[in-house]
PDB file of all heavy atoms in Angstrom:
ATOM      1  N   LYS A   1      16.850  33.408   7.519  1.00 56.00           N
ATOM      2  CA  LYS A   1      17.752  32.250   7.414  1.00 56.00           C
ATOM      3  C   LYS A   1      17.918  31.834   5.965  1.00 56.00           C
ATOM      4  O   LYS A   1      19.030  31.502   5.517  1.00 56.00           O
ATOM      5  CB  LYS A   1      17.201  31.083   8.229  1.00 56.00           C
ATOM      6  CG  LYS A   1      18.116  29.861   8.204  1.00 56.00           C
ATOM      7  CD  LYS A   1      17.607  28.760   9.106  1.00 56.00           C
ATOM      8  CE  LYS A   1      18.566  27.567   9.081  1.00 56.00           C
ATOM      9  NZ  LYS A   1      18.097  26.472   9.964  1.00 56.00           N
ATOM     10  N   GLU A   2      16.828  31.851   5.196  1.00 58.00           N
ATOM     11  CA  GLU A   2      16.915  31.495   3.782  1.00 58.00           C
ATOM     12  C   GLU A   2      17.858  32.444   3.045  1.00 58.00           C
ATOM     13  O   GLU A   2      18.683  32.028   2.234  1.00 58.00           O
ATOM     14  CB  GLU A   2      15.527  31.530   3.143  1.00 58.00           C
ATOM     15  CG  GLU A   2      15.539  31.165   1.660  1.00 58.00           C
ATOM     16  CD  GLU A   2      14.173  31.314   1.018  1.00 58.00           C
ATOM     17  OE1 GLU A   2      13.307  31.981   1.628  1.00 58.00           O
ATOM     18  OE2 GLU A   2      13.977  30.790  -0.073  1.00 58.00           O
ATOM     19  N   ARG A   3      17.733  33.749   3.343  1.00 56.00           N
ATOM     20  CA  ARG A   3      18.601  34.725   2.692  1.00 56.00           C
ATOM     21  C   ARG A   3      20.059  34.486   3.049  1.00 56.00           C
ATOM     22  O   ARG A   3      20.942  34.580   2.212  1.00 56.00           O
ATOM     23  CB  ARG A   3      18.180  36.139   3.112  1.00 56.00           C
ATOM     24  CG  ARG A   3      18.928  37.246   2.351  1.00 56.00           C
ATOM     25  CD  ARG A   3      18.410  38.607   2.729  1.00 56.00           C
ATOM     26  NE  ARG A   3      18.704  38.935   4.109  1.00 56.00           N
ATOM     27  CZ  ARG A   3      17.792  39.300   4.994  1.00 56.00           C
ATOM     28  NH1 ARG A   3      16.530  39.357   4.665  1.00 56.00           N
ATOM     29  NH2 ARG A   3      18.143  39.593   6.238  1.00 56.00           N
ATOM     30  N   ARG A   4      20.319  34.141   4.336  1.00 62.00           N
ATOM     31  CA  ARG A   4      21.688  33.874   4.771  1.00 62.00           C
ATOM     32  C   ARG A   4      22.254  32.620   4.100  1.00 62.00           C
ATOM     33  O   ARG A   4      23.420  32.595   3.685  1.00 62.00           O
ATOM     34  CB  ARG A   4      21.729  33.737   6.287  1.00 62.00           C
ATOM     35  CG  ARG A   4      23.151  33.561   6.833  1.00 62.00           C
ATOM     36  CD  ARG A   4      23.178  33.676   8.352  1.00 62.00           C
ATOM     37  NE  ARG A   4      22.394  32.629   8.990  1.00 62.00           N
ATOM     38  CZ  ARG A   4      21.240  32.827   9.616  1.00 62.00           C
ATOM     39  NH1 ARG A   4      20.725  34.041   9.680  1.00 62.00           N
ATOM     40  NH2 ARG A   4      20.590  31.825  10.175  1.00 62.00           N
ATOM     41  N   LEU A   5      21.427  31.581   3.962  1.00 62.00           N
ATOM     42  CA  LEU A   5      21.883  30.350   3.316  1.00 62.00           C
ATOM     43  C   LEU A   5      22.206  30.590   1.842  1.00 62.00           C
ATOM     44  O   LEU A   5      23.191  30.052   1.317  1.00 62.00           O
ATOM     45  CB  LEU A   5      20.818  29.264   3.448  1.00 62.00           C
ATOM     46  CG  LEU A   5      20.618  28.679   4.849  1.00 62.00           C
ATOM     47  CD1 LEU A   5      19.441  27.718   4.861  1.00 62.00           C
ATOM     48  CD2 LEU A   5      21.884  27.981   5.325  1.00 62.00           C
ATOM     49  N   ILE A   6      21.395  31.405   1.182  1.00 64.00           N
ATOM     50  CA  ILE A   6      21.667  31.728  -0.222  1.00 64.00           C
ATOM     51  C   ILE A   6      22.999  32.453  -0.342  1.00 64.00           C
ATOM     52  O   ILE A   6      23.815  32.162  -1.220  1.00 64.00           O
ATOM     53  CB  ILE A   6      20.528  32.582  -0.809  1.00 64.00           C
ATOM     54  CG1 ILE A   6      19.264  31.734  -0.951  1.00 64.00           C
ATOM     55  CG2 ILE A   6      20.925  33.154  -2.164  1.00 64.00           C
ATOM     56  CD1 ILE A   6      18.037  32.529  -1.345  1.00 64.00           C
ATOM     57  N   SER A   7      23.249  33.398   0.572  1.00 65.00           N
ATOM     58  CA  SER A   7      24.519  34.132   0.553  1.00 65.00           C
ATOM     59  C   SER A   7      25.698  33.198   0.791  1.00 65.00           C
ATOM     60  O   SER A   7      26.730  33.289   0.117  1.00 65.00           O
ATOM     61  CB  SER A   7      24.488  35.234   1.620  1.00 65.00           C
ATOM     62  OG  SER A   7      25.713  35.918   1.682  1.00 65.00           O
ATOM     63  N   GLU A   8      25.535  32.270   1.748  1.00 69.00           N
ATOM     64  CA  GLU A   8      26.626  31.334   2.047  1.00 69.00           C
ATOM     65  C   GLU A   8      26.895  30.404   0.869  1.00 69.00           C
ATOM     66  O   GLU A   8      28.062  30.109   0.551  1.00 69.00           O
ATOM     67  CB  GLU A   8      26.279  30.518   3.295  1.00 69.00           C
ATOM     68  CG  GLU A   8      26.295  31.357   4.581  1.00 69.00           C
ATOM     69  CD  GLU A   8      25.772  30.575   5.780  1.00 69.00           C
ATOM     70  OE1 GLU A   8      25.296  29.423   5.568  1.00 69.00           O
ATOM     71  OE2 GLU A   8      25.825  31.102   6.905  1.00 69.00           O
ATOM     72  N   ARG A   9      25.845  29.941   0.214  1.00 70.00           N
ATOM     73  CA  ARG A   9      26.039  29.067  -0.950  1.00 70.00           C
ATOM     74  C   ARG A   9      26.717  29.812  -2.081  1.00 70.00           C
ATOM     75  O   ARG A   9      27.561  29.253  -2.801  1.00 70.00           O
ATOM     76  CB  ARG A   9      24.683  28.505  -1.408  1.00 70.00           C
ATOM     77  CG  ARG A   9      24.124  27.425  -0.495  1.00 70.00           C
ATOM     78  CD  ARG A   9      23.008  26.655  -1.177  1.00 70.00           C
ATOM     79  NE  ARG A   9      21.846  27.481  -1.430  1.00 70.00           N
ATOM     80  CZ  ARG A   9      20.811  27.582  -0.601  1.00 70.00           C
ATOM     81  NH1 ARG A   9      20.814  26.908   0.542  1.00 70.00           N
ATOM     82  NH2 ARG A   9      19.784  28.330  -0.903  1.00 70.00           N
ATOM     83  N   THR A  10      26.363  31.083  -2.248  1.00 75.00           N
ATOM     84  CA  THR A  10      26.994  31.882  -3.296  1.00 75.00           C
ATOM     85  C   THR A  10      28.484  32.053  -3.031  1.00 75.00           C
ATOM     86  O   THR A  10      29.315  31.894  -3.926  1.00 75.00           O
ATOM     87  CB  THR A  10      26.314  33.259  -3.396  1.00 75.00           C
ATOM     88  OG1 THR A  10      24.922  33.082  -3.702  1.00 75.00           O
ATOM     89  CG2 THR A  10      26.959  34.099  -4.492  1.00 75.00           C
ATOM     90  N   ARG A  11      28.839  32.374  -1.772  1.00 73.00           N
ATOM     91  CA  ARG A  11      30.249  32.521  -1.427  1.00 73.00           C
ATOM     92  C   ARG A  11      31.007  31.213  -1.609  1.00 73.00           C
ATOM     93  O   ARG A  11      32.152  31.198  -2.086  1.00 73.00           O
ATOM     94  CB  ARG A  11      30.392  33.023   0.006  1.00 73.00           C
ATOM     95  CG  ARG A  11      30.013  34.485   0.197  1.00 73.00           C
ATOM     96  CD  ARG A  11      30.578  35.030   1.513  1.00 73.00           C
ATOM     97  NE  ARG A  11      30.067  34.287   2.657  1.00 73.00           N
ATOM     98  CZ  ARG A  11      28.959  34.601   3.315  1.00 73.00           C
ATOM     99  NH1 ARG A  11      28.244  35.652   2.934  1.00 73.00           N
ATOM    100  NH2 ARG A  11      28.566  33.884   4.365  1.00 73.00           N
ATOM    101  N   ALA A  12      30.375  30.093  -1.239  1.00 74.00           N
ATOM    102  CA  ALA A  12      31.030  28.800  -1.394  1.00 74.00           C
ATOM    103  C   ALA A  12      31.266  28.478  -2.865  1.00 74.00           C
ATOM    104  O   ALA A  12      32.330  27.963  -3.240  1.00 74.00           O
ATOM    105  CB  ALA A  12      30.182  27.704  -0.742  1.00 74.00           C
ATOM    106  N   ALA A  13      30.291  28.792  -3.714  1.00 73.00           N
ATOM    107  CA  ALA A  13      30.442  28.527  -5.143  1.00 73.00           C
ATOM    108  C   ALA A  13      31.552  29.370  -5.744  1.00 73.00           C
ATOM    109  O   ALA A  13      32.353  28.887  -6.553  1.00 73.00           O
ATOM    110  CB  ALA A  13      29.113  28.796  -5.861  1.00 73.00           C
ATOM    111  N   LEU A  14      31.634  30.642  -5.328  1.00 74.00           N
ATOM    112  CA  LEU A  14      32.704  31.514  -5.825  1.00 74.00           C
ATOM    113  C   LEU A  14      34.061  31.015  -5.351  1.00 74.00           C
ATOM    114  O   LEU A  14      35.051  31.041  -6.109  1.00 74.00           O
ATOM    115  CB  LEU A  14      32.469  32.947  -5.359  1.00 74.00           C
ATOM    116  CG  LEU A  14      31.262  33.666  -5.981  1.00 74.00           C
ATOM    117  CD1 LEU A  14      31.068  35.031  -5.338  1.00 74.00           C
ATOM    118  CD2 LEU A  14      31.436  33.806  -7.492  1.00 74.00           C
ATOM    119  N   GLY A  15      34.122  30.555  -4.080  1.00 74.00           N
ATOM    120  CA  GLY A  15      35.372  30.017  -3.564  1.00 74.00           C
ATOM    121  C   GLY A  15      35.827  28.788  -4.340  1.00 74.00           C
ATOM    122  O   GLY A  15      37.016  28.616  -4.622  1.00 74.00           O
ATOM    123  N   ALA A  16      34.871  27.922  -4.700  1.00 73.00           N
ATOM    124  CA  ALA A  16      35.208  26.730  -5.471  1.00 73.00           C
ATOM    125  C   ALA A  16      35.729  27.099  -6.851  1.00 73.00           C
ATOM    126  O   ALA A  16      36.675  26.487  -7.359  1.00 73.00           O
ATOM    127  CB  ALA A  16      33.978  25.831  -5.580  1.00 73.00           C
ATOM    128  N   ARG A  17      35.133  28.127  -7.454  1.00 72.00           N
ATOM    129  CA  ARG A  17      35.587  28.554  -8.778  1.00 72.00           C
ATOM    130  C   ARG A  17      36.992  29.147  -8.713  1.00 72.00           C
ATOM    131  O   ARG A  17      37.814  28.928  -9.597  1.00 72.00           O
ATOM    132  CB  ARG A  17      34.602  29.571  -9.359  1.00 72.00           C
ATOM    133  CG  ARG A  17      33.254  28.965  -9.714  1.00 72.00           C
ATOM    134  CD  ARG A  17      32.326  29.998 -10.310  1.00 72.00           C
ATOM    135  NE  ARG A  17      32.865  30.516 -11.573  1.00 72.00           N
ATOM    136  CZ  ARG A  17      32.332  31.548 -12.229  1.00 72.00           C
ATOM    137  NH1 ARG A  17      31.265  32.169 -11.705  1.00 72.00           N
ATOM    138  NH2 ARG A  17      32.841  31.957 -13.361  1.00 72.00           N
ATOM    139  N   ARG A  18      37.265  29.899  -7.638  1.00 75.00           N
ATOM    140  CA  ARG A  18      38.624  30.434  -7.474  1.00 75.00           C
ATOM    141  C   ARG A  18      39.628  29.299  -7.309  1.00 75.00           C
ATOM    142  O   ARG A  18      40.738  29.350  -7.859  1.00 75.00           O
ATOM    143  CB  ARG A  18      38.682  31.361  -6.257  1.00 75.00           C
ATOM    144  CG  ARG A  18      37.936  32.675  -6.406  1.00 75.00           C
ATOM    145  CD  ARG A  18      38.288  33.633  -5.278  1.00 75.00           C
ATOM    146  NE  ARG A  18      37.432  34.795  -5.265  1.00 75.00           N
ATOM    147  CZ  ARG A  18      36.330  34.912  -4.532  1.00 75.00           C
ATOM    148  NH1 ARG A  18      35.961  33.908  -3.744  1.00 75.00           N
ATOM    149  NH2 ARG A  18      35.598  36.014  -4.577  1.00 75.00           N
ATOM    150  N   ALA A  19      39.250  28.273  -6.526  1.00 74.00           N
ATOM    151  CA  ALA A  19      40.152  27.148  -6.297  1.00 74.00           C
ATOM    152  C   ALA A  19      40.457  26.407  -7.595  1.00 74.00           C
ATOM    153  O   ALA A  19      41.530  25.810  -7.754  1.00 74.00           O
ATOM    154  CB  ALA A  19      39.537  26.191  -5.280  1.00 74.00           C
ATOM    155  N   GLN A  20      39.522  26.461  -8.549  1.00 73.00           N
ATOM    156  CA  GLN A  20      39.718  25.803  -9.833  1.00 73.00           C
ATOM    157  C   GLN A  20      40.480  26.683 -10.818  1.00 73.00           C
ATOM    158  O   GLN A  20      40.714  26.287 -11.964  1.00 73.00           O
ATOM    159  CB  GLN A  20      38.358  25.431 -10.436  1.00 73.00           C
ATOM    160  CG  GLN A  20      37.603  24.378  -9.626  1.00 73.00           C
ATOM    161  CD  GLN A  20      36.170  24.224 -10.077  1.00 73.00           C
ATOM    162  OE1 GLN A  20      35.722  24.913 -11.002  1.00 73.00           O
ATOM    163  NE2 GLN A  20      35.429  23.331  -9.430  1.00 73.00           N
ATOM    164  N   GLY A  21      40.854  27.878 -10.368  1.00 69.00           N
ATOM    165  CA  GLY A  21      41.633  28.764 -11.224  1.00 69.00           C
ATOM    166  C   GLY A  21      40.821  29.708 -12.074  1.00 69.00           C
ATOM    167  O   GLY A  21      41.372  30.413 -12.933  1.00 69.00           O
ATOM    168  N   THR A  22      39.493  29.759 -11.831  1.00 67.00           N
ATOM    169  CA  THR A  22      38.652  30.673 -12.610  1.00 67.00           C
ATOM    170  C   THR A  22      38.872  32.099 -12.142  1.00 67.00           C
ATOM    171  O   THR A  22      38.859  32.381 -10.944  1.00 67.00           O
ATOM    172  CB  THR A  22      37.166  30.314 -12.437  1.00 67.00           C
ATOM    173  OG1 THR A  22      36.972  28.957 -12.831  1.00 67.00           O
ATOM    174  CG2 THR A  22      36.278  31.223 -13.286  1.00 67.00           C
ATOM    175  N   LYS A  23      39.088  33.006 -13.074  1.00 63.00           N
ATOM    176  CA  LYS A  23      39.274  34.411 -12.739  1.00 63.00           C
ATOM    177  C   LYS A  23      37.910  35.070 -12.575  1.00 63.00           C
ATOM    178  O   LYS A  23      37.073  35.008 -13.458  1.00 63.00           O
ATOM    179  CB  LYS A  23      40.076  35.125 -13.831  1.00 63.00           C
ATOM    180  CG  LYS A  23      41.514  34.656 -13.923  1.00 63.00           C
ATOM    181  CD  LYS A  23      42.277  35.455 -14.965  1.00 63.00           C
ATOM    182  CE  LYS A  23      43.746  35.023 -15.032  1.00 63.00           C
ATOM    183  NZ  LYS A  23      44.502  35.791 -16.051  1.00 63.00           N
ATOM    184  N   LEU A  24      37.719  35.673 -11.410  1.00 59.00           N
ATOM    185  CA  LEU A  24      36.455  36.327 -11.105  1.00 59.00           C
ATOM    186  C   LEU A  24      36.643  37.834 -11.071  1.00 59.00           C
ATOM    187  O   LEU A  24      37.756  38.339 -11.033  1.00 59.00           O
ATOM    188  CB  LEU A  24      35.934  35.847  -9.745  1.00 59.00           C
ATOM    189  CG  LEU A  24      35.761  34.331  -9.601  1.00 59.00           C
ATOM    190  CD1 LEU A  24      35.338  34.007  -8.180  1.00 59.00           C
ATOM    191  CD2 LEU A  24      34.741  33.797 -10.596  1.00 59.00           C
TER     192      LEU A  24
END
């Protein structure tokens, strides 16, 4: 579960950066 939560937080952070216009 900890590993899954870390993965979900990482995806959420990347999504937020994309929404702000950051090129990934």
Side-chain angles (χ1 to χ4, degrees):
K1 182 175 181 180
E2 180 185 16
R3 187 176 67 235
R4 184 170 63 251
L5 289 174
I6 290 172
S7 177
E8 290 173 354
R9 286 195 294 267
T10 300
R11 287 198 300 270
L14 291 175
R17 291 181 63 188
R18 290 192 190 94
Q20 294 169 0
T22 303
K23 293 183 178 180
L24 304 176

